[in-house]
Amino acid sequence: TGMQETTQAAVIAESLLKEVSKPYKIDQHILETSPSIGISIYPHDGPNVDELMRNADIAMYHAKEQGRSNYHFFTESMLITAHEKLKFEKELRAALQKGQLELHYQPQLHVAEKCISAVEALIRWKHPERGFITPDNFIPLAEETGIIHELGEWIFNEACRQLAAWKKAGIDNLRMSINLSVKQLHSKDLVKIISTTLANHNLSGSELELEITETAAMNNPELAVQQLASIRELGLGLAIDDFGTGYSSLAYLKRLPIQTLKLDKDFVRDIEHDQNDLEISTATIGLAHSLGLKIVAEGVETEGQFEFLVAHQCDYLQGYLFSKPLP
């Protein structure tokens, strides 16, 4: 109390960060923690304790997002962001109930056989006011709020329903590729959900492939190895998505029961003009093949990219050159 300048709060926050970040010796163990501090100041940030605490809490979460061991002052824009996030979450829950979600499918070309061998299922949210919203704009929120489990189950069921419908229409030998989030990968119910959904649609595991990001696989490597091994026992194919963009350990990657690597579109985009991307793409294709894995190049948009990837024996190609994702 009696603070004359807001900078005094920053001095106290700095002091707290320094003290709380010091190692603790408990029994024979040295433990460390990384605090995140949110600051709200009366009366500008709230007229009462409840509002001040709420706004400090919002600021604290922003401090966490900056990488922990950090402090952040509350601003009005943070409150607007928090309200927007809450509104977005309610709308996403409603979208699941009201049938506003749909899957679009992007084909993968089998280079050697010159045919479409698989499709990747990509979710779209048909918002009544904002139109189609791509997954980049709502999947992180779904992960944060826990809706991802319900959403993931819907995606898996809908993709399997569509594949079964295509089979009934006489379209055979098509594999369905479905993305799996880190929260789903860590769910104890995942294997049961997959098994039940396959049975419900009379599909075999070999007709499906699950894609996980490199970052998701490395989030808890031991658990990822266990979960993916159980999924593999059901016959599903497994792919590492966005390969080369995360912080992976090749020692762990070789333990994962995967069959496919996906070369990220960020590397494919500039292979005609950027020597680094060309070298990374060439090395990744070589690495995959030396490990006995297939490789899919994403984001193929030009003839030049196509010719380079075919010449370097990339197994599958995916991108706007062939087709955008379609309903």
Coordinates of all heavy atoms in Angstrom, one line a residue, residues 113-176:
E113 N 3.1 -45.3 -58.1 CA 1.9 -45.9 -58.7 C 1.0 -44.8 -59.5 O 0.0 -45.2 -60.1 CB 1.0 -46.6 -57.7 CG 1.8 -47.8 -57.1 CD 1.0 -48.6 -56.1 OE1 -0.3 -48.3 -56.0 OE2 1.5 -49.4 -55.4
K114 N 1.4 -43.6 -59.3 CA 0.7 -42.5 -60.0 C -0.9 -42.5 -59.7 O -1.7 -42.4 -60.7 CB 0.9 -42.5 -61.5 CG 2.4 -42.3 -61.9 CD 2.5 -42.2 -63.4 CE 3.9 -41.8 -63.9 NZ 4.9 -42.9 -63.6
C115 N -1.2 -42.6 -58.5 CA -2.6 -42.7 -58.1 C -2.8 -42.1 -56.7 O -1.8 -41.9 -55.9 CB -3.1 -44.1 -58.1 SG -2.4 -45.1 -56.8
I116 N -4.0 -41.7 -56.4 CA -4.3 -41.2 -55.0 C -4.4 -42.5 -54.1 O -5.3 -43.3 -54.3 CB -5.7 -40.4 -55.0 CG1 -5.5 -39.1 -55.8 CG2 -6.1 -40.1 -53.6 CD1 -6.7 -38.4 -56.1
S117 N -3.6 -42.5 -53.1 CA -3.6 -43.6 -52.2 C -4.1 -43.3 -50.8 O -4.4 -44.3 -50.1 CB -2.1 -44.1 -52.0 OG -1.3 -43.1 -51.5
A118 N -4.2 -42.0 -50.5 CA -4.7 -41.7 -49.1 C -5.3 -40.3 -49.2 O -5.1 -39.5 -50.1 CB -3.6 -41.7 -48.1
V119 N -6.1 -40.0 -48.2 CA -6.6 -38.6 -48.0 C -6.4 -38.2 -46.5 O -6.5 -39.1 -45.6 CB -8.1 -38.4 -48.3 CG1 -8.3 -38.6 -49.8 CG2 -9.0 -39.4 -47.5
E120 N -6.0 -37.0 -46.3 CA -5.9 -36.5 -44.9 C -7.2 -35.7 -44.5 O -7.6 -34.9 -45.3 CB -4.7 -35.5 -44.8 CG -4.5 -35.0 -43.4 CD -3.3 -34.0 -43.2 OE1 -2.6 -33.8 -44.2 OE2 -3.1 -33.5 -42.1
A121 N -7.7 -36.1 -43.4 CA -9.0 -35.5 -42.9 C -8.6 -34.2 -42.2 O -7.8 -34.2 -41.2 CB -9.7 -36.4 -42.0
L122 N -9.2 -33.1 -42.6 CA -8.9 -31.8 -42.0 C -10.2 -31.1 -41.6 O -11.1 -30.9 -42.4 CB -8.1 -30.9 -43.0 CG -6.8 -31.5 -43.4 CD1 -6.3 -30.8 -44.7 CD2 -5.7 -31.3 -42.4
I123 N -10.3 -30.7 -40.3 CA -11.5 -30.2 -39.7 C -11.7 -28.7 -40.1 O -10.7 -28.0 -40.2 CB -11.6 -30.4 -38.2 CG1 -13.0 -30.0 -37.7 CG2 -10.5 -29.5 -37.5 CD1 -13.3 -30.5 -36.3
R124 N -12.9 -28.3 -40.4 CA -13.3 -27.0 -40.6 C -14.5 -26.6 -39.8 O -15.4 -27.5 -39.6 CB -13.7 -26.8 -42.1 CG -12.6 -27.0 -43.1 CD -11.5 -26.0 -43.1 NE -10.5 -26.2 -44.1 CZ -9.3 -26.8 -43.9 NH1 -9.1 -27.3 -42.7 NH2 -8.4 -26.9 -44.8
W125 N -14.5 -25.4 -39.2 CA -15.6 -24.9 -38.4 C -16.4 -23.9 -39.2 O -15.9 -22.9 -39.6 CB -15.1 -24.3 -37.1 CG -16.1 -23.7 -36.2 CD1 -17.5 -23.7 -36.4 CD2 -15.8 -23.0 -35.0 NE1 -18.1 -23.1 -35.3 CE2 -17.1 -22.6 -34.5 CE3 -14.7 -22.7 -34.3 CZ2 -17.2 -21.9 -33.3 CZ3 -14.8 -22.0 -33.2 CH2 -16.0 -21.6 -32.6
K126 N -17.6 -24.3 -39.6 CA -18.5 -23.4 -40.4 C -19.2 -22.5 -39.4 O -20.4 -22.8 -39.0 CB -19.5 -24.2 -41.2 CG -20.1 -23.5 -42.4 CD -20.9 -24.4 -43.3 CE -21.5 -23.6 -44.5 NZ -22.3 -24.5 -45.3
H127 N -18.6 -21.4 -39.1 CA -19.1 -20.4 -38.1 C -20.2 -19.6 -38.7 O -20.1 -19.2 -39.9 CB -18.0 -19.5 -37.6 CG -18.3 -18.7 -36.4 ND1 -19.1 -17.6 -36.4 CD2 -18.0 -18.9 -35.1 CE1 -19.2 -17.1 -35.2 NE2 -18.6 -17.9 -34.4
P128 N -21.4 -19.5 -38.0 CA -22.5 -18.8 -38.6 C -22.2 -17.3 -39.0 O -22.9 -16.8 -39.9 CB -23.6 -18.8 -37.5 CG -22.9 -19.2 -36.3 CD -21.7 -20.0 -36.7
E129 N -21.2 -16.7 -38.4 CA -20.9 -15.3 -38.7 C -19.6 -15.1 -39.3 O -19.4 -14.3 -40.2 CB -20.9 -14.5 -37.4 CG -22.3 -14.4 -36.7 CD -22.2 -13.9 -35.3 OE1 -21.1 -13.4 -34.8 OE2 -23.2 -14.1 -34.5
R130 N -18.6 -15.9 -39.0 CA -17.2 -15.7 -39.5 C -16.9 -16.6 -40.7 O -15.8 -16.6 -41.2 CB -16.2 -16.0 -38.4 CG -16.5 -15.2 -37.1 CD -15.4 -15.5 -36.1 NE -15.8 -15.3 -34.7 CZ -15.1 -15.3 -33.6 NH1 -13.8 -15.6 -33.8 NH2 -15.6 -15.1 -32.4
G131 N -17.8 -17.5 -41.1 CA -17.5 -18.4 -42.2 C -16.6 -19.5 -41.8 O -16.6 -19.9 -40.6
F132 N -15.9 -20.1 -42.7 CA -15.1 -21.3 -42.4 C -13.8 -20.8 -41.6 O -13.1 -19.9 -42.0 CB -14.6 -22.0 -43.7 CG -15.6 -23.0 -44.2 CD1 -16.3 -22.7 -45.4 CD2 -15.9 -24.1 -43.4 CE1 -17.2 -23.7 -45.9 CE2 -16.8 -25.0 -43.9 CZ -17.5 -24.8 -45.1
I133 N -13.6 -21.5 -40.5 CA -12.4 -21.3 -39.6 C -11.6 -22.5 -39.7 O -12.0 -23.6 -39.5 CB -12.9 -21.0 -38.1 CG1 -13.8 -19.8 -38.1 CG2 -11.6 -20.7 -37.3 CD1 -14.4 -19.5 -36.7
T134 N -10.3 -22.3 -40.0 CA -9.3 -23.4 -40.1 C -8.9 -23.9 -38.7 O -8.9 -23.1 -37.7 CB -8.1 -23.0 -40.9 OG1 -7.5 -21.9 -40.3 CG2 -8.5 -22.6 -42.4
P135 N -8.4 -25.1 -38.6 CA -8.0 -25.7 -37.3 C -6.9 -24.9 -36.6 O -6.9 -24.8 -35.3 CB -7.5 -27.1 -37.7 CG -7.3 -27.1 -39.1 CD -8.2 -26.1 -39.7
D136 N -6.0 -24.2 -37.3 CA -5.0 -23.4 -36.6 C -5.6 -22.4 -35.7 O -4.9 -22.0 -34.7 CB -4.1 -22.7 -37.7 CG -3.2 -23.6 -38.5 OD1 -3.2 -24.8 -38.1 OD2 -2.7 -23.2 -39.5
N137 N -6.8 -21.9 -36.0 CA -7.4 -20.9 -35.2 C -8.3 -21.4 -34.1 O -8.8 -20.5 -33.3 CB -8.3 -20.0 -36.2 CG -7.4 -19.2 -37.1 OD1 -6.5 -18.5 -36.7 ND2 -7.7 -19.3 -38.4
F138 N -8.5 -22.7 -34.0 CA -9.3 -23.1 -32.8 C -8.8 -24.4 -32.1 O -9.2 -24.6 -31.0 CB -10.8 -23.3 -33.2 CG -11.1 -24.3 -34.2 CD1 -11.4 -25.6 -33.8 CD2 -11.2 -24.0 -35.5 CE1 -11.7 -26.6 -34.7 CE2 -11.5 -25.0 -36.5 CZ -11.7 -26.3 -36.1
I139 N -8.0 -25.2 -32.8 CA -7.4 -26.4 -32.1 C -6.6 -26.0 -30.9 O -6.8 -26.7 -29.8 CB -6.6 -27.2 -33.1 CG1 -7.5 -27.9 -34.2 CG2 -5.9 -28.3 -32.3 CD1 -8.6 -28.8 -33.6
P140 N -5.7 -25.0 -30.9 CA -5.0 -24.6 -29.6 C -6.0 -24.3 -28.5 O -5.7 -24.7 -27.3 CB -4.2 -23.4 -30.0 CG -4.0 -23.5 -31.5 CD -5.3 -24.2 -32.0
L141 N -7.1 -23.6 -28.8 CA -8.1 -23.3 -27.7 C -8.7 -24.6 -27.3 O -9.0 -24.8 -26.1 CB -9.1 -22.4 -28.3 CG -10.3 -22.0 -27.3 CD1 -9.8 -21.2 -26.2 CD2 -11.4 -21.3 -28.0
A142 N -9.0 -25.5 -28.2 CA -9.6 -26.8 -27.8 C -8.7 -27.6 -26.9 O -9.2 -28.2 -25.9 CB -10.0 -27.6 -29.1
E143 N -7.4 -27.5 -27.2 CA -6.4 -28.2 -26.3 C -6.4 -27.6 -24.9 O -6.4 -28.2 -23.9 CB -5.0 -28.1 -26.9 CG -4.8 -28.9 -28.2 CD -3.7 -29.9 -28.0 OE1 -2.9 -29.8 -27.1 OE2 -3.7 -30.9 -28.8
E144 N -6.4 -26.2 -24.9 CA -6.3 -25.5 -23.6 C -7.5 -25.7 -22.7 O -7.4 -25.8 -21.5 CB -6.2 -24.0 -24.0 CG -5.8 -23.1 -22.9 CD -5.7 -21.7 -23.3 OE1 -5.1 -21.4 -24.4 OE2 -6.2 -20.8 -22.6
T145 N -8.7 -25.9 -23.3 CA -9.9 -26.0 -22.5 C -10.3 -27.4 -22.3 O -11.3 -27.7 -21.5 CB -11.1 -25.3 -23.2 OG1 -11.2 -25.8 -24.6 CG2 -10.8 -23.8 -23.3
G146 N -9.7 -28.4 -23.0 CA -10.1 -29.8 -22.8 C -11.1 -30.3 -23.8 O -11.5 -31.5 -23.8
I147 N -11.7 -29.4 -24.6 CA -12.7 -29.8 -25.6 C -12.1 -30.7 -26.6 O -12.8 -31.4 -27.3 CB -13.3 -28.5 -26.3 CG1 -13.8 -27.5 -25.3 CG2 -14.5 -28.9 -27.2 CD1 -14.2 -26.2 -26.0
I148 N -10.8 -30.7 -26.7 CA -10.1 -31.5 -27.7 C -10.5 -33.0 -27.7 O -10.5 -33.7 -28.7 CB -8.5 -31.3 -27.6 CG1 -7.8 -31.9 -28.9 CG2 -8.0 -32.0 -26.3 CD1 -8.1 -31.1 -30.1
H149 N -10.8 -33.5 -26.5 CA -11.1 -34.9 -26.4 C -12.4 -35.2 -27.1 O -12.5 -36.2 -27.9 CB -11.2 -35.4 -24.9 CG -9.8 -35.2 -24.2 ND1 -8.8 -36.0 -24.5 CD2 -9.4 -34.4 -23.3 CE1 -7.7 -35.7 -23.8 NE2 -8.1 -34.7 -23.0
E150 N -13.4 -34.4 -26.8 CA -14.7 -34.5 -27.5 C -14.6 -34.3 -29.0 O -15.2 -35.0 -29.8 CB -15.7 -33.6 -26.8 CG -17.2 -33.8 -27.1 CD -18.1 -32.8 -26.4 OE1 -17.6 -32.1 -25.5 OE2 -19.3 -32.8 -26.8
L151 N -13.9 -33.2 -29.3 CA -13.7 -32.9 -30.7 C -12.9 -34.0 -31.5 O -13.3 -34.3 -32.6 CB -12.9 -31.6 -30.8 CG -12.7 -30.8 -32.1 CD1 -14.1 -30.4 -32.6 CD2 -11.8 -29.6 -31.9
G152 N -11.9 -34.5 -30.9 CA -11.1 -35.6 -31.5 C -11.9 -36.8 -31.7 O -11.7 -37.5 -32.8
E153 N -12.8 -37.1 -30.8 CA -13.6 -38.3 -31.0 C -14.6 -38.1 -32.1 O -14.8 -39.0 -32.9 CB -14.4 -38.6 -29.7 CG -14.9 -40.0 -29.5 CD -15.4 -40.3 -28.1 OE1 -15.0 -39.7 -27.2 OE2 -16.2 -41.3 -28.1
W154 N -15.1 -36.9 -32.2 CA -16.0 -36.6 -33.3 C -15.3 -36.7 -34.7 O -15.8 -37.3 -35.6 CB -16.6 -35.1 -33.2 CG -17.5 -34.8 -34.3 CD1 -18.9 -35.0 -34.4 CD2 -17.1 -34.2 -35.6 NE1 -19.4 -34.6 -35.6 CE2 -18.3 -34.1 -36.3 CE3 -16.0 -33.7 -36.1 CZ2 -18.3 -33.5 -37.6 CZ3 -16.0 -33.2 -37.4 CH2 -17.1 -33.1 -38.1
I155 N -14.1 -36.1 -34.8 CA -13.3 -36.2 -36.0 C -13.0 -37.7 -36.4 O -13.2 -38.1 -37.5 CB -11.9 -35.5 -35.8 CG1 -12.2 -34.0 -35.7 CG2 -11.0 -35.8 -37.0 CD1 -10.9 -33.2 -35.3
F156 N -12.6 -38.5 -35.4 CA -12.3 -39.9 -35.7 C -13.5 -40.6 -36.2 O -13.5 -41.4 -37.2 CB -11.7 -40.5 -34.4 CG -10.9 -41.8 -34.7 CD1 -9.6 -41.7 -35.1 CD2 -11.5 -43.0 -34.7 CE1 -8.9 -42.8 -35.4 CE2 -10.8 -44.2 -35.0 CZ -9.4 -44.0 -35.3
N157 N -14.7 -40.4 -35.6 CA -15.9 -41.1 -36.0 C -16.4 -40.6 -37.3 O -16.7 -41.5 -38.2 CB -17.0 -40.8 -34.9 CG -18.2 -41.6 -35.2 OD1 -18.3 -42.8 -35.1 ND2 -19.3 -40.9 -35.6
E158 N -16.3 -39.3 -37.6 CA -16.7 -38.8 -38.9 C -15.8 -39.2 -40.0 O -16.3 -39.6 -41.1 CB -16.8 -37.3 -38.8 CG -17.2 -36.5 -40.1 CD -18.6 -36.9 -40.6 OE1 -19.4 -37.4 -39.8 OE2 -18.9 -36.7 -41.8
A159 N -14.5 -39.3 -39.8 CA -13.6 -39.7 -40.8 C -13.8 -41.2 -41.1 O -13.8 -41.6 -42.3 CB -12.2 -39.5 -40.4
C160 N -14.1 -42.0 -40.1 CA -14.3 -43.4 -40.3 C -15.7 -43.7 -41.0 O -15.8 -44.5 -41.9 CB -14.3 -44.2 -39.0 SG -12.7 -44.4 -38.3
R161 N -16.7 -42.8 -40.7 CA -18.0 -42.9 -41.3 C -17.8 -42.7 -42.8 O -18.4 -43.4 -43.7 CB -18.9 -41.9 -40.7 CG -20.4 -42.0 -41.3 CD -21.1 -40.7 -41.0 NE -20.6 -39.6 -41.7 CZ -20.6 -39.4 -43.0 NH1 -21.3 -40.3 -43.8 NH2 -20.1 -38.3 -43.6
Q162 N -17.0 -41.6 -43.2 CA -16.9 -41.2 -44.6 C -16.1 -42.3 -45.3 O -16.4 -42.7 -46.5 CB -16.1 -39.9 -44.6 CG -15.9 -39.4 -46.1 CD -17.1 -39.2 -46.8 OE1 -17.9 -38.2 -46.6 NE2 -17.4 -40.1 -47.8
L163 N -15.1 -42.9 -44.7 CA -14.3 -43.9 -45.3 C -15.2 -45.2 -45.6 O -15.1 -45.8 -46.7 CB -13.1 -44.3 -44.5 CG -12.1 -45.3 -45.1 CD1 -11.5 -44.8 -46.4 CD2 -11.0 -45.7 -44.1
A164 N -16.0 -45.5 -44.6 CA -16.9 -46.7 -44.8 C -17.9 -46.4 -46.0 O -18.2 -47.3 -46.7 CB -17.7 -46.9 -43.5
A165 N -18.4 -45.1 -46.1 CA -19.3 -44.7 -47.1 C -18.6 -44.9 -48.5 O -19.2 -45.3 -49.5 CB -19.8 -43.3 -46.9
W166 N -17.4 -44.4 -48.6 CA -16.6 -44.5 -49.8 C -16.4 -46.0 -50.2 O -16.5 -46.3 -51.4 CB -15.3 -43.8 -49.7 CG -15.3 -42.3 -49.9 CD1 -16.3 -41.6 -50.6 CD2 -14.5 -41.4 -49.3 NE1 -16.0 -40.3 -50.5 CE2 -14.9 -40.1 -49.7 CE3 -13.3 -41.4 -48.5 CZ2 -14.3 -38.9 -49.4 CZ3 -12.7 -40.3 -48.1 CH2 -13.1 -39.0 -48.6
K167 N -16.1 -46.8 -49.2 CA -15.9 -48.3 -49.5 C -17.2 -48.9 -50.1 O -17.2 -49.6 -51.0 CB -15.5 -49.0 -48.2 CG -14.0 -48.8 -47.9 CD -13.7 -49.6 -46.6 CE -13.7 -51.1 -46.9 NZ -13.3 -51.9 -45.7
K168 N -18.3 -48.5 -49.5 CA -19.6 -49.0 -49.9 C -19.9 -48.6 -51.3 O -20.6 -49.3 -52.1 CB -20.7 -48.5 -48.9 CG -22.1 -49.2 -49.1 CD -23.0 -48.7 -48.0 CE -24.4 -49.4 -48.2 NZ -25.4 -49.0 -47.2
A169 N -19.4 -47.4 -51.7 CA -19.6 -46.8 -53.1 C -18.6 -47.4 -54.1 O -18.6 -47.1 -55.2 CB -19.5 -45.3 -53.1
G170 N -17.7 -48.3 -53.6 CA -16.8 -49.0 -54.5 C -15.4 -48.4 -54.6 O -14.6 -48.8 -55.4
I171 N -15.1 -47.4 -53.7 CA -13.8 -46.8 -53.7 C -13.0 -47.6 -52.7 O -13.1 -47.3 -51.5 CB -13.9 -45.3 -53.3 CG1 -14.8 -44.6 -54.4 CG2 -12.5 -44.7 -53.3 CD1 -15.1 -43.2 -54.0
D172 N -12.1 -48.4 -53.1 CA -11.3 -49.3 -52.3 C -9.8 -48.8 -52.3 O -9.5 -47.9 -53.0 CB -11.3 -50.7 -52.7 CG -12.7 -51.4 -52.4 OD1 -13.2 -51.1 -51.3 OD2 -13.2 -52.1 -53.2
N173 N -9.0 -49.4 -51.4 CA -7.6 -49.2 -51.3 C -7.3 -47.7 -51.1 O -6.3 -47.1 -51.6 CB -6.9 -49.6 -52.7 CG -7.1 -51.1 -53.0 OD1 -7.1 -51.9 -52.1 ND2 -7.4 -51.4 -54.2
L174 N -8.1 -47.1 -50.2 CA -7.8 -45.7 -49.8 C -7.6 -45.7 -48.3 O -8.4 -46.2 -47.6 CB -9.1 -44.8 -50.2 CG -8.9 -43.3 -50.2 CD1 -7.9 -42.9 -51.2 CD2 -10.2 -42.6 -50.4
R175 N -6.5 -45.0 -47.9 CA -6.2 -44.9 -46.5 C -6.6 -43.5 -46.0 O -6.5 -42.5 -46.7 CB -4.7 -45.1 -46.3 CG -4.2 -45.3 -44.9 CD -2.8 -45.6 -44.8 NE -1.9 -44.5 -45.2 CZ -1.3 -44.4 -46.3 NH1 -1.3 -45.4 -47.2 NH2 -0.6 -43.3 -46.6
M176 N -7.2 -43.5 -44.8 CA -7.6 -42.2 -44.2 C -6.6 -41.8 -43.1 O -6.2 -42.6 -42.2 CB -9.0 -42.4 -43.5 CG -9.5 -41.2 -42.7 SD -10.0 -39.9 -43.8 CE -11.5 -40.5 -44.6

